Amino acid sequence: MELIRSATTTPDDEGEQVHRPELVAALGGAATALAGLVLVLGLVLLGALAVPRATASTGEGVGAGALTWLLLGGGRVAVGSGLVALTPLLGLLALVALARFGAARTPLADDLRSAGSWVGGYALVGGLAVLLGLLSPASPAPLSLPLPLLVVPVLGLLWARGLPERAADRWEQAPLAVRRGLAPGLRGAAGGLAMGTLLLVVAVLVHLGRVGQVHGELGAGVFGGTVLVLLQLAAASNLGLWALSLAAGPGFSTSDGALTTWASAESGVLPMIPVLAAQPQPGDLPWITHLLVLLPVALGAWVARAALREVPRLAAVRTKAAAALAGVLVAAVALALLDAVGGGSLGGARLSDIGAPAGALALALAVEMGVGALLVVARDWWVLRR
């Protein structure tokens, strides 16, 4: 930190040190991005070296590490004629949390210029990662670069410093129902992720033998296997969204045309990812799987109960319903956005469209959670009426 201070001060005419706040901010942003990039590069290089049959050069390993950092931030990677668009959501959260930590530790002035300099420093290191990624046979998709280079640092900065004053004033002018439903809706989105992840854990435990068999066939070695496990844990929330989509009705696909829904699971060519072996075997599923729809309904009821705490007890039913439904819409849209950012492609051909359909998932969750929310509002009205 002393090195940054010494590099960002200049003596004035009387010999005193004058700080250059924009340069301090830019260096802080660059250091934050560099910390995450170096960590990911190290893990990828060590994992590549630990794989006995690996043939990639050091340069290609560095390129793969840089592309992995961009992928964790929401970027997309072009591989031949296909596109890898699968961002582990926990990895994305880790990068945003690191950006928050860096923004909190950097001495920033309370103005947009200083904040912009911090984001600019972060993006500059991101540009270096883009160049390093060209060392790999794959390449970053240009249209996706704003996510890891700009959106991630902006989210971290907002998390650390809060909304700017002008934006905070605008938020105070938003409809009251939206302001009351925002926090319950975001908690509902987190609850939906947890619910789906729990379904995933149950599926993995039921089919642990198949998962272990695929893991062993990969022959990744001790360290490589550990990295593989960590990557699957980072993607657990993505797969949890797939499980939640199964509960909501739209289902998910693990290869082109192979859809798993309440009614049946279709066969297809699976990518060699151990956790995917936990999905149901091809064929008709038992009728009891239709009862999974009760999970989104219960989630909507939970969101509504939280939203009603933000409303005066004797408020009109319309006011309570508006707050509850606003929370439901926030949760449904947030989960769909996470699904879209998480992506659904592992290359071309049969793996070009996998995962849960974000639009259908948002619609199904809005309807099913809305039913649960309205049931809670109706019960609240009945209790007060008595």
Side-chain angles (χ1 to χ4, degrees):
M1 203 64 186
E2 290 299 325
L3 182 61
I4 292 180
R5 289 196 182 98
S6 63
T8 56
T9 57
T10 56
D12 63 5
D13 294 338
E14 298 179 359
E16 297 180 354
Q17 297 294 316
V18 179
H19 287 274
R20 293 177 286 183
E22 290 81 9
L23 186 55
V24 172
L27 287 176
T32 301
L34 191 61
L37 178 60
V38 168
L39 177 61
V40 174
L41 280 174
L43 288 175
V44 171
L45 284 174
L46 288 174
L49 292 174
V51 177
R53 292 171 291 183
T55 58
S57 66
T58 302
E60 290 175 341
V62 170
L67 291 179
T68 301
W69 182 79
L70 293 171
L71 195 65
L72 290 174
R76 304 308 190 227
V77 175
V79 181
S81 60
L83 192 70
V84 175
L86 194 62
T87 295
L89 292 177
L90 290 180
L92 175 61
L93 177 61
L95 287 185
V96 174
L98 179 61
R100 175 188 181 274
F101 177 80
R105 293 293 298 271
T106 304
L108 296 176
D110 192 17
D111 56 38
L112 289 179
R113 178 180 296 181
S114 185
S117 298
W118 189 88
V119 173
Y122 190 105
L124 187 63
V125 173
L128 174 62
V130 172
L131 296 177
L132 290 176
L134 298 178
L135 297 174
S136 170
S139 61
L143 293 179
S144 69
L145 292 179
L147 280 170
L149 270 58
L150 296 176
V151 175
V152 167
V154 167
L155 289 176
L157 188 63
L158 291 175
W159 191 1
R161 304 281 174 165
L163 286 174
E165 184 177 353
R166 182 177 298 179
D169 291 340
R170 291 276 182 91
W171 172 245
E172 291 299 325
Q173 299 173 8
L176 185 57
V178 175
R179 285 185 280 138
R180 285 170 170 167
L182 179 64
L186 292 178
R187 290 197 294 271
L193 275 178
M195 184 181 289
T197 304
L198 181 60
L199 288 174
L200 171 68
V201 171
V202 171
V204 169
L205 291 176
V206 170
H207 302 291
L208 192 58
R210 296 208 309 257
V211 173
Q213 180 182 357
V214 175
H215 183 89
E217 291 176 355
L218 290 174
V222 177
F223 188 84
T226 302
V227 172
L228 179 61
V229 170
L230 290 176
L231 286 175
Q232 290 177 96
L233 288 175
S237 295
N238 301 61
L239 301 176
L241 280 173
W242 297 11
L244 183 64
S245 182
L246 173 63
F252 64 90
S253 62
T254 49
S255 63
D256 186 29
L259 190 65
T260 299
T261 63
W262 291 332
S264 64
E266 299 174 353
S267 62
V269 179
L270 287 178
M272 288 294 285
I273 300 175
V275 70
L276 294 183
Q279 71 170 324
Q281 289 293 296
D284 294 337
L285 297 181
W287 65 268
I288 199 170
T289 56
H290 290 75
L291 298 180
L292 289 173
V293 72
L294 296 177
L295 295 177
V297 174
L299 181 63
W302 181 61
V303 170
R305 287 178 63 87
L308 291 184
R309 297 191 193 103
E310 307 290 329
V311 182
R313 187 75 177 97
L314 298 179
V317 175
R318 181 182 300 178
T319 301
K320 293 180 178 180
L325 292 178
V328 164
L329 288 177
V330 167
V333 170
L335 288 167
L337 284 176
L338 287 174
D339 183 57
V341 171
S345 175
L346 282 176
R350 291 183 176 274
L351 300 181
S352 61
D353 186 16
I354 63 175
L361 176 61
L363 182 60
L365 286 176
V367 172
E368 293 158 4
M369 293 176 64
V371 170
L374 291 177
L375 287 175
V376 168
V377 172
R379 179 184 179 279
D380 180 81
W381 169 80
W382 177 256
V383 170
L384 286 179
R385 184 173 179 271
R386 293 177 62 188

